[in-house]
């Protein structure tokens, strides 16, 4: 690939880069390590482009040799993307944290308007944030909310319209499937009516939050009073049908079992087979500060890297695997690039959800820092827009 030529230029709206998939090979050492680790059959399936089964997913989690699992995931990553590693210029805004759902892992929400630390941003305030950051050439706003029972639906459509007036070319990625489900129930609309009204007001795509763990055993414990797995998947299915791209996530490392992680990614793989509308999968590492799960230890670095790797291997139809650096820390995000990850999210100015749950990462990174952290990890930085069109190429 050629070198990034002009990193300061604003987004031009290019095409996705293509990579010669015939180039990457497993080294003979990795080949033998996989055989020794009991993953010979899985290795042959991956090398041959064959789909992995539920049992294969469990075997990858059970394997003692983490680096062998990583090498296999890296093969898939390099077949799809070579060394290219994507990032974008974005801001996270969470206009309200008032939320009627009581997810036991959440450190961000407050049950009622008026509770200490509950907040609601007025439309002008959200727009003002974007206006203040004009010089940063943001290409995306990522916006999610609590399930706030004290707002009219017009609050959300007014917000979208006002953001589009302020910056018409800013891509609005907003509202989780859980919020869409809540809007439909609370305001008495179908999913289709909710999505159509939001799209008409300016919604461009949807983030992947709210998926948590689909399996009913774990979901009942984690978040019993919000959209269930079928409802979450139904919203994304419909969003894809209506022409939107969406992301998907999995909250891992709290009370779920590895079987439930494998079940989760297979459900996503099935929907992706049906629609092809997911762009990226983001495994979200559990944080235990300021929530009801504080006694549960956070996942180890090894478990985190393995989860990225297994996700890359199981989700053969997912274009990208994203490591959300504010949640992981910079060193782990860099390491994840050798375990299947090809995207580290963006500048992420003003993140709240993970910082309230104890993340000690910086509040936003400059574009130059992202480029440097990717280069120092031995990969090639590529600035993208939300839909993975290339803004600047390395
Ligand atoms: O749905 C909340 C998770 C999600 C905790 O689509 C927690 O591009 C760990 O979905 N420990 C929201 N996880 C964030 C999210 C996201 C982030 C970045 C990019 C994208 C994208 C989506 O955060 C929630 C929940 O699964 N979460 N609290 C916690 N204590």
């Amino acid at each position: 690939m050629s070198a990034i030529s002009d990193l300061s230029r604003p987004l031009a709206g290019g095409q996705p880069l293509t990579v010669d998939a015939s180039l990457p090979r497993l080294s003979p050492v990795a080949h033998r390590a996989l055989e020794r680790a009991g993953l010979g059959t899985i290795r042959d399936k991956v090398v041959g482009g064959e789909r992995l089964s539920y049992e294969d997913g469990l075997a990858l989690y059970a394997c003692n040799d983490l680096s062998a699992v990583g090498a296999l995931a890296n093969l898939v990553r390099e077949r799809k993307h070579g060394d290219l590693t994507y990032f974008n210029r974005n801001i996270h805004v969470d206009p309200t944290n008032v939320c009627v759902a009581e997810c036991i892992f959440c450190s961000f929400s407050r049950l009622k308007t008026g509770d200490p630390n509950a907040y609601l941003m007025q439309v002008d305030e959200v727009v003002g944030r974007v206006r203040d950051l004009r010089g940063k050439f943001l290409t995306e706003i990522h916006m999610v909310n609590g399930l706030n029972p004290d707002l009219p639906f017009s609050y959300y459509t007014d917000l979208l319209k006002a953001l589009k007036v302020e910056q018409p070319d800013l891509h609005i990625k907003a509202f989780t499937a859980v919020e869409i489900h809540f809007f439909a129930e609370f305001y008495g609309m179908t999913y289709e009516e909710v999505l159509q009204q939001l799209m008409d007001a300016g919604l461009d795509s949807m983030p992947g939050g709210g998926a948590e763990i689909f399996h009913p055993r774990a979901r009942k414990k984690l978040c019993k009073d919000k959209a269930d797995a079928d409802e979450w998947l139904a919203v994304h299915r419909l969003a894809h049908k209506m022409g939107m791209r969406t992301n998907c996530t999995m909250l891992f490392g709290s009370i779920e079992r590895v079987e439930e992680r494998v079940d989760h990614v297979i459900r996503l793989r099935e929907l992706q087979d049906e629609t092809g509308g997911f762009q990226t999968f983001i495994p979200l590492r559990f944080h235990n500060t300021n929530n009801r799960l504080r006694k549960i230890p956070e996942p180890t670095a090894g478990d985190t890297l393995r989860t990225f790797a297994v996700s890359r291997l199981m989700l053969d139809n997912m274009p990208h695997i994203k490591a959300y650096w504010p949640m992981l820390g910079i060193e782990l995000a860099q390491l994840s690039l050798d375990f299947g990850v090809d995207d580290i999210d963006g500048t992420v100015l003003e993140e709240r959800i993970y910082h309230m749950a104890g993340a000690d990462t910086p509040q936003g990174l400059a574009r130059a820092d992202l480029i440097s952290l990717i280069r120092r990890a031995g990969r090639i930085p590529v600035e993208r827009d939300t839909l993975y069109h290339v803004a600047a190429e390395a």
Side-chain angles (χ1 to χ4, degrees), residues 92 105-107 142 144 173 176 206-212 226 247-249 251 280 282 284-289 291 322 324 327 345 353-354 357:
H92 276 220
F105 55 82
C106 186
S107 318
H142 169 116
V144 296
K173 168 163 68 96
T176 65
M206 281 172 54
E212 324 311 1
K226 69 182 190 189
N247 294 342
C248 50
T249 59
L251 166 62
T280 184
I282 311 135
L284 295 167
R285 178 173 183 265
F286 168 63
H287 276 258
N288 66 5
T289 303
N291 59 51
K322 177 155 89 176
Y324 182 50
M327 171 197 69
D345 207 282
I353 295 178
Y354 283 97

Side-chain angles (χ1 to χ4, degrees), residues 64-106:
N64 285 330
D65 189 341
L66 173 62
S67 58
V69 176
L72 209 47
N74 189 54
L75 176 73
V76 177
R77 183 248 203 257
E78 292 189 0
R79 275 183 181 171
K80 284 184 187 284
H81 304 290
D83 282 328
L84 302 182
T85 301
Y86 298 89
F87 69 94
N88 72 347
R89 278 183 285 186
N90 60 354
I91 181 179
H92 276 220
V93 182
D94 312 308
T96 178
N97 68 342
V98 174
C99 187
V100 293
E102 295 189 64
C103 306
I104 60 173
F105 55 82
C106 186

